[in-house]
Amino acid sequence: VGGATVSSATLHNQDEIKRLGIKVGDTVIVRRAGDVIPQVSGVVVERRNGTERDVEFPKVCPVCGSLIEKVEGEAVARCTGGLVCSAQLTQAIIHFVSRDAMDLEGFGDRIVEQLVATKKISTVADLYSLTEDDLATLILDGGDDKKVRFLGHVVAKKLIAAIDKSRVMPLNRFIYALGIREVGASTARTL
């Protein structure tokens, strides 16, 4: 498409799917929007064979079972579970520890996912109560030999040091780290 090889394109905007009349199983026309982004721009109706079906959006969150809400005038449908939803909690903490937010070096997605899954943390505040033992016992990987490997105390010490370092952070970084909707890094600097 426009000189680039496109291996996949996503379309998750419910209003756009309705506007284009897209069904599951359709052949679609893809074009480049800007320099990089592939955009679904239409349906090849002549290619339909009758097996296509309407796109059904979930009414409840597949993770926590809370209702899905779509606010009038917004494109995004959201789980109403808030931080009770483990998927939202995980993403909120991933954002909180990110480089542009609190910059907790070493806290990758997999570590945060394990901390939430094992219920060692249920809020961002719980990060500041973690112990070296809490972190050292997290599973690093299964390894090629399928033996379970733990994070260990050396890495755990580094993670605790990153937590301690983040205790003194400019207010704007903390506000941004909270993940308040419509408050990005630049807005947080002006508050």
Side-chain angles (χ1 to χ4, degrees):
V1 176
T5 302
V6 176
S7 60
S8 65
T10 63
L11 180 59
H12 49 270
N13 182 319
Q14 187 173 1
D15 296 332
E16 189 68 0
I17 290 170
K18 285 181 181 176
R19 185 183 76 73
L20 294 170
I22 295 175
K23 296 180 177 279
V24 175
D26 269 340
T27 299
V28 296
I29 299 166
V30 177
R31 69 178 185 91
R32 285 187 57 182
D35 289 338
V36 180
I37 303 168
Q39 178 184 35
V40 177
S41 62
V43 177
V44 183
V45 179
E46 308 79 48
R47 302 271 320 256
R48 286 187 173 161
N49 61 18
T51 61
E52 298 78 15
R53 60 193 196 299
D54 289 335
V55 176
E56 291 185 36
F57 285 85
K59 297 190 181 353
V60 296
C61 174
V63 175
C64 71
S66 297
L67 291 175
I68 301 291
E69 175 184 65
K70 184 172 182 297
V71 177
E72 189 68 35
E74 290 186 12
V76 178
R78 292 184 174 88
C79 166
T80 58
L83 297 182
V84 170
C85 177
S86 64
Q88 288 190 63
L89 174 63
T90 299
Q91 290 306 310
I93 294 172
I94 287 170
H95 171 73
F96 186 86
V97 302
S98 69
R99 184 177 317 269
D100 292 335
M102 296 300 282
D103 193 20
L104 272 76
E105 191 172 334
F107 274 87
D109 295 3
R110 287 181 53 211
I111 290 173
V112 172
E113 288 164 2
Q114 280 192 56
L115 288 168
V116 172
T118 58
K119 301 198 183 319
K120 291 184 181 192
I121 57 175
S122 57
T123 69
V124 293
D126 293 341
L127 287 166
Y128 294 92
S129 299
L130 288 171
T131 66
E132 187 179 317
D133 286 337
D134 290 332
L135 294 165
T137 57
L138 293 176
I139 296 171
L140 183 60
D141 64 36
D144 292 337
D145 56 5
K146 304 299 181 218
K147 289 184 182 174
V148 174
R149 290 180 173 74
F150 295 97
L151 208 55
H153 286 277
V154 172
V155 175
K157 281 183 197 298
K158 290 179 181 178
L159 294 174
I160 294 294
I163 290 169
D164 289 340
K165 181 181 172 190
S166 76
R167 290 177 192 273
V168 179
M169 194 63 70
L171 180 60
N172 65 298
R173 300 260 314 250
F174 175 70
I175 290 171
Y176 173 67
L178 292 175
I180 301 166
R181 194 176 304 158
E182 314 247 348
V183 178
S186 60
T187 302
R189 280 191 292 274
T190 63
L191 297 177

